[in-house]
Amino acid sequence: MSYRALPGAADEMLDNNGAIRPVWQRFVNSIDRLSEHELHERFARADRYLRDAGVFYRAYGANGSSDRAWPFSHIPVLIAEKEWQVLAEGLVQRANLLEAVVSDIYNDNRLVQEGFIPPQLIAGNPEFLRPLVGIKPAGGHYLHFCSFEIGRGPDGNWWVLADRTQAPSGAGFALENRVATTRAFSDIYAETHVHRLASFFGAFRDALQSRKQHADDRIAVLSPGPANETYFEHAYIARYLGIMLLEGEDLAVVNGRVMVRTVAGLKPISVLWRRLDAAYADPLELNQNSHIGTPGMVQALRNGAVTFVNALGSGILETRALLAFMPTICHHLLGEDLALPSIATWWCGQKSEREQVARNLDRMVIGPAYSRLPFFDDSGRSQLGASLSKAQRKAMLERIEAEGGKLVGQEVVTLSTTPAFVDGKLTPRPMSLRVYAARTRDGWQIMPGGFARIGSGDDVSAIAMQSGGSAADVWIVSEKPVDRTSLLPAEESFTRNMPGSLPSRAADNLYWLGRYIERAEGALRILRAWHGRFAESADPEQPLLAYVTRYLSDLDVDMKHGVPESMMRNIDSAVYSASNIRDRFSPDGWLALTDLAKTARRFHDKVKHGDDAAHAMTILLRKLAGFAGLVHENMYRFTGWRFLTVGRFLERGLHMTRLLGHMSADAAPDGSLDMLLEIGDNVMTHRRRYNVNTAKLTVTDLLALDPLNPRSILFQLNEIRTELEQLPNAFVNGQMSPLYREAMRLHSGLAVMTPETMTPEIYSTLERELEKLSDILANTYLG
């Protein structure tokens, strides 16, 4: 193995003498026996897992945002258990210190009064939320879940680069990193004593449960929504812990209590793991421009009715300038020195510190005092003193003198390196660790791992994933076997918990997911039949083709592309609806749906009318059927499944109603009825059931009125009625709800019809009534 550390930097794998550290020896020996081809095969397994699981993050740039594959670095970072225990003790101390500081800031404010924190850093701080002053959090603690950016310097000691208390992200990605890494190195992982992560999450889940104020209260992850860069992780964590994933619009404050809007009405919720910035949580008392918060949330906090993880306002602890004062604050509050020092920081609002920064500008990074990000992650707002030109240096010194209170100087840190596999060999890359702390029933617990952020080159500024960095798993390695814990209960007895309440927004997305998928399928079936006939005649003006083209045009389905724009919109809308409910959607279902969308996009402009397009439609129909089969076979039959199913049946009913009204009309050209049977996938069924050639009455009987035909209108109405009967409040005090009554009326009205009575006017009326049924459902459950 050829691997050399970078000059002037500590290395995680090599000691100061260039020898492999003992904790790495087994791993290095194992991969050294593998050929480059075998390594690439292992890496491909990990990448395939991440791709199949749909792991992504959202990157932002000049052209907007885009979903990118998770930037995974395949070689884990290994740290010895004894060294980790020292780090963990230092981080527990720091978590306790941060708790004491934020408690003082929002209550006694003695740290400011006694000169330990400059007043300007609090009063002028956008993260200081004045409406929260004096509000004691339910349970007494401000902080419940923190993370820390830490790095190792050239001397081998660890430094804290930044504190994360606002809404720490990445814990779910750490879990996915672990799964992906074990896919690549399952044999090595099995024989290496690596501490598992499940016990950390299990202890935190138990702590969340203990904070419920009433037995019927709910717990949820509160997300800004799918546009957030780490939304995948919000959904993943919610699914992993078995709690709800909510957005601000899902919540309401009623009589001082936080309630979640569900299809069964308002239900109480008392614990919210917050993943949105605090100022956006309440547009009534905090940021009035917020569209993702819930009015009245601060009042609920005053009432002690809800616990936020972490408390609103705790983001002030992330202020970069506060790092300069942490050593003295720690000694004052805890009577101890910081076990893990912060990166050397000077706030330029004080004369002596300002002069110190000016004298040593070449060894400093200058950045915003109120920034909540480490210097390598703040999108270029920090400047390296040594890289400034003469004119820039002069301007910077003038700015420090004039605006010192807005700036900090931080010592340039040469981060340690860790092996990354680059161009077929192990290459040292700069690294920082993100480590997590959770408040449990037994106090703070440090995740035995986390994830490492790996630079894309020698420059530490490229560690940020928005700047091209990557993420690696972190193995904490013991000298003896470790417990193999999981989140599954160990007891032989169990309680069968019913699925949680379904938020109205989730029901809405499931309902429309069903409709969009069925809408796409209906259009695909018509297009396949059209292209099949075009392949025989090559004449789009042939009467039947022209007649169907006009029908498709009325539905906004154009024939310019192989896969029409409107169908692409329906499939994209289905993907969007599914993306809003990732916590309720299986990875297999998501993979099948996104694969369908990719295939449709590939066919969009690349298939020609006729056989080529017909074949493409068949492929898309098979993929649709695969998705539908996964949902039907694997999705638990709870309320969410019923909304998805009702959406599909209602859209299929609308599709067949419109199609029959058009294709069985007196003006329909020859061949329309045969095409109808083909679209309905009922050609063979018609032959078996009717001893006559295709006729209007037999086609109407089969596709409109046959209760056993899964494509008939009556079948859809029967299934809709059956599913609606199982929804909450279908009956109130023995009375049918308006929605269920309308479904019954529609079903019974069609059930007594005969083929002779089914006229175009009947179909038109039925179409309007099905749309009306959808409106009633939306007003009943989805508003």
Side-chain angles (χ1 to χ4, degrees):
M1 182 193 71
S2 174
Y3 179 85
R4 290 197 192 326
L6 293 177
D11 190 84
E12 295 303 314
M13 190 173 77
L14 304 181
D15 62 21
N16 293 335
N17 298 318
I20 296 174
R21 299 178 190 270
V23 69
W24 282 84
Q25 195 68 60
R26 185 196 298 261
F27 181 84
V28 171
N29 290 342
S30 297
I31 66 169
D32 209 25
R33 290 192 293 266
L34 301 173
S35 68
E36 185 174 336
H37 176 71
E38 289 173 317
L39 269 177
H40 280 296
E41 281 190 336
R42 287 168 176 259
F43 296 161
R45 284 204 299 268
D47 293 338
R48 184 168 57 247
Y49 164 76
L50 292 170
R51 186 171 57 252
D52 291 351
V55 183
F56 73 93
Y57 78 106
R58 186 159 283 113
Y60 297 94
N63 298 322
S65 64
S66 60
D67 291 350
R68 295 186 183 176
W70 181 242
F72 183 57
S73 183
H74 302 89
I75 305 297
V77 177
L78 276 62
I79 300 176
E81 181 184 50
K82 290 181 179 178
E83 181 179 13
W84 188 258
Q85 286 173 347
V86 175
L87 278 174
E89 290 171 4
L91 293 177
V92 167
Q93 180 207 52
R94 196 171 186 94
N96 285 323
L97 175 61
L98 293 175
E99 173 70 35
V101 171
V102 70
S103 178
D104 178 83
I105 288 172
Y106 283 100
N107 291 284
D108 297 337
N109 205 24
R110 297 187 65 84
L111 290 173
V112 171
Q113 293 175 23
E114 297 173 6
F116 291 96
I117 299 178
Q120 180 180 342
L121 290 183
I122 305 301
N125 198 317
E127 291 301 325
F128 180 56
L129 305 182
R130 286 173 174 77
L132 278 302
V133 172
I135 298 179
K136 300 276 189 179
H141 295 296
Y142 286 82
L143 302 180
H144 308 272
F145 195 87
C146 308
S147 72
F148 308 92
E149 300 285 349
I150 65 175
R152 193 198 296 271
D155 60 359
N157 293 320
W158 290 92
W159 298 76
V160 175
L161 306 175
D163 300 303
R164 290 276 173 268
T165 55
Q166 173 75 272
S169 64
F173 289 125
L175 279 168
E176 287 288 37
N177 283 346
R178 175 59 55 85
V179 178
T181 305
T182 55
R183 293 291 175 96
F185 301 114
S186 56
D187 51 346
I188 303 173
Y189 183 78
E191 62 188 26
T192 305
H193 306 316
V194 181
H195 281 272
R196 272 49 174 179
L197 304 181
S199 60
F200 172 83
F201 286 97
F204 184 56
R205 183 181 64 180
D206 292 344
L208 292 177
Q209 292 285 349
S210 70
R211 293 186 181 101
K212 291 200 309 184
Q213 298 183 14
H214 305 91
D216 62 341
D217 283 352
R218 284 136 184 93
I219 303 170
V221 173
L222 179 59
S223 171
N228 186 265
E229 63 181 4
T230 58
Y231 176 74
F232 167 84
E233 188 217 354
H234 306 170
Y236 180 84
I237 282 287
R239 189 166 60 236
Y240 183 72
L241 297 182
I243 58 181
M244 303 173 81
L245 177 66
L246 302 177
E247 297 175 28
E249 65 181 278
D250 295 324
L251 301 171
V253 178
V254 180
N255 297 324
R257 290 193 69 186
V258 181
M259 312 292 281
V260 56
R261 295 183 175 95
T262 78
V263 295
L266 294 173
K267 300 296 180 182
I269 192 161
S270 63
V271 182
L272 290 169
W273 186 356
R274 174 174 62 86
R275 301 304 300 273
L276 76 167
D277 286 357
Y280 292 94
D282 186 348
L284 191 64
E285 297 198 53
L286 300 174
N287 187 337
Q288 296 180 2
N289 296 318
S290 172
H291 296 288
I292 56 176
T294 306
M297 196 65 81
V298 172
Q299 185 57 48
L301 285 171
R302 290 193 186 98
N303 297 339
V306 63
T307 295
F308 269 104
V309 177
N310 291 322
L312 299 186
S314 56
I316 196 171
L317 296 170
E318 297 187 358
T319 303
R320 187 184 293 180
L322 283 180
L323 294 175
F325 304 95
M326 282 301 178
T328 55
I329 293 173
C330 182
H331 201 271
H332 172 68
L333 293 180
L334 304 183
E336 304 168 350
D337 292 330
L338 275 176
L340 277 179
S342 305
I343 182 175
T345 305
W346 294 267
W347 178 56
C348 297
Q350 296 170 309
K351 187 174 185 297
S352 60
E353 283 77 3
R354 190 161 56 245
E355 292 173 349
Q356 167 78 5
V357 171
R359 281 194 307 269
N360 298 279
L361 189 60
D362 288 343
R363 298 192 289 111
M364 297 282 179
V365 176
I366 310 300
Y370 295 123
S371 174
R372 292 164 35 207
L373 298 170
F375 66 87
F376 56 75
D377 205 14
D378 68 354
S379 304
R381 291 189 298 164
S382 293
Q383 291 182 283
L384 186 63
S387 67
L388 299 177
S389 67
K390 186 175 180 179
Q392 290 172 328
R393 180 186 179 88
K394 182 175 181 293
M396 177 60 74
L397 290 172
E398 291 174 351
R399 186 182 174 202
I400 290 172
E401 187 61 35
E403 305 175 14
K406 298 179 181 179
L407 299 172
V408 294
Q410 290 186 300
E411 184 180 23
V412 176
V413 175
T414 302
L415 294 173
S416 65
T417 58
T418 192
F421 200 76
V422 180
D423 297 330
K425 61 181 180 179
L426 291 181
T427 305
R429 288 288 185 254
M431 173 211 74
S432 71
L433 293 186
R434 181 170 293 185
V435 186
Y436 299 89
R439 188 185 294 280
T440 70
R441 294 173 178 177
D442 300 319
W444 287 104
Q445 184 171 325
I446 306 299
M447 180 193 291
F451 75 79
R453 307 214 295 178
I454 312 295
S456 57
D458 296 343
D459 184 4
V460 296
S461 66
I463 286 179
M465 278 171 282
Q466 298 283 353
S467 305
S470 56
D473 190 16
V474 179
W475 290 6
I476 308 305
V477 181
S478 175
E479 295 177 354
K480 55 187 179 181
V482 297
D483 293 335
R484 301 197 173 196
T485 55
S486 76
L487 289 189
L488 298 175
E491 298 86 359
E492 292 184 3
S493 62
F494 64 91
T495 300
R496 178 184 288 170
N497 295 316
M498 292 305 294
S501 301
L502 182 69
S504 298
R505 180 185 54 83
D508 190 31
N509 280 293
L510 285 163
Y511 173 70
W512 279 102
L513 171 61
R515 291 200 63 174
Y516 286 130
I517 285 297
E518 194 62 40
R519 192 173 294 176
E521 181 180 338
L524 277 172
R525 290 184 175 280
I526 297 174
L527 287 167
R528 184 174 66 171
W530 190 96
H531 284 290
R533 283 157 179 77
F534 177 80
E536 297 171 358
S537 67
D539 179 13
E541 298 304 320
Q542 190 256 353
L544 177 58
L545 295 184
Y547 189 73
V548 175
T549 299
R550 288 194 295 273
Y551 173 76
L552 289 170
S553 179
D554 290 341
L555 297 180
D556 194 30
V557 178
D558 68 81
M559 302 298 292
K560 296 177 183 177
H561 302 276
V563 177
E565 289 284 355
S566 59
M567 187 181 303
M568 291 299 305
R569 289 196 298 270
N570 284 328
I571 294 174
D572 288 342
S573 295
V575 173
Y576 178 76
S577 294
S579 74
N580 281 289
I581 45 173
R582 285 296 299 273
D583 61 315
R584 298 173 181 273
F585 216 69
S586 75
D588 285 341
W590 175 256
L591 182 64
L593 188 57
T594 53
D595 180 57
L596 168 69
K598 290 176 184 175
T599 305
R601 199 164 287 111
R602 189 171 71 249
F603 287 158
H604 181 50
D605 282 322
K606 295 184 179 178
V607 294
K608 298 178 181 178
H609 284 23
D611 278 335
D612 194 20
H615 179 64
M617 301 302 143
T618 299
I619 291 173
L620 291 175
L621 280 169
R622 287 173 183 165
K623 288 182 179 287
L624 264 173
F627 169 76
L630 279 169
V631 170
H632 186 271
E633 295 298 324
N634 298 338
M635 196 169 178
Y636 192 85
R637 267 35 173 190
F638 72 122
T639 308
W641 183 84
R642 301 189 193 288
F643 278 96
L644 176 68
T645 303
V646 168
R648 290 199 67 192
F649 287 138
L650 193 143
E651 190 64 40
R652 184 176 291 184
L654 276 168
H655 164 72
M656 190 54 69
T657 299
R658 294 190 187 109
L659 199 59
L660 273 165
H662 189 76
M663 301 289 283
S664 65
D666 293 338
D670 290 344
S672 294
L673 296 176
D674 290 318
M675 193 173 186
L676 250 177
L677 288 175
E678 181 183 333
I679 293 169
D681 198 16
N682 273 190
V683 174
M684 290 188 297
T685 303
H686 185 273
R687 289 173 184 165
R688 286 197 303 268
R689 294 212 59 193
Y690 306 98
N691 295 320
V692 295
N693 293 329
T694 306
K696 180 177 178 180
L697 291 182
T698 59
V699 172
T700 300
D701 183 57
L702 182 61
L703 294 181
L705 303 176
D706 192 328
L708 301 181
N709 180 10
R711 293 282 167 185
S712 78
I713 304 171
L714 185 61
F715 183 92
Q716 315 313 313
L717 289 175
N718 184 62
E719 294 300 309
I720 290 171
R721 183 196 63 177
T722 300
E723 297 303 334
L724 292 182
E725 188 177 9
Q726 302 301 317
L727 291 181
N729 303 319
F731 294 87
V732 179
N733 297 324
Q735 298 279 328
M736 292 182 188
S737 70
L739 175 63
Y740 186 60
R741 184 180 293 112
E742 180 67 12
M744 284 286 290
R745 186 186 69 78
L746 277 178
H747 177 264
S748 58
L750 188 63
V752 298
M753 299 291 282
T754 64
E756 294 83 0
T757 58
M758 297 299 293
T759 64
E761 292 75 25
I762 293 292
Y763 288 122
S764 180
T765 300
L766 184 58
E767 179 183 346
R768 290 194 301 272
E769 289 179 333
L770 282 168
E771 294 285 13
K772 177 184 174 184
L773 185 69
S774 178
D775 292 339
I776 297 173
L777 182 144
N779 292 332
T780 303
Y781 292 109
L782 310 180

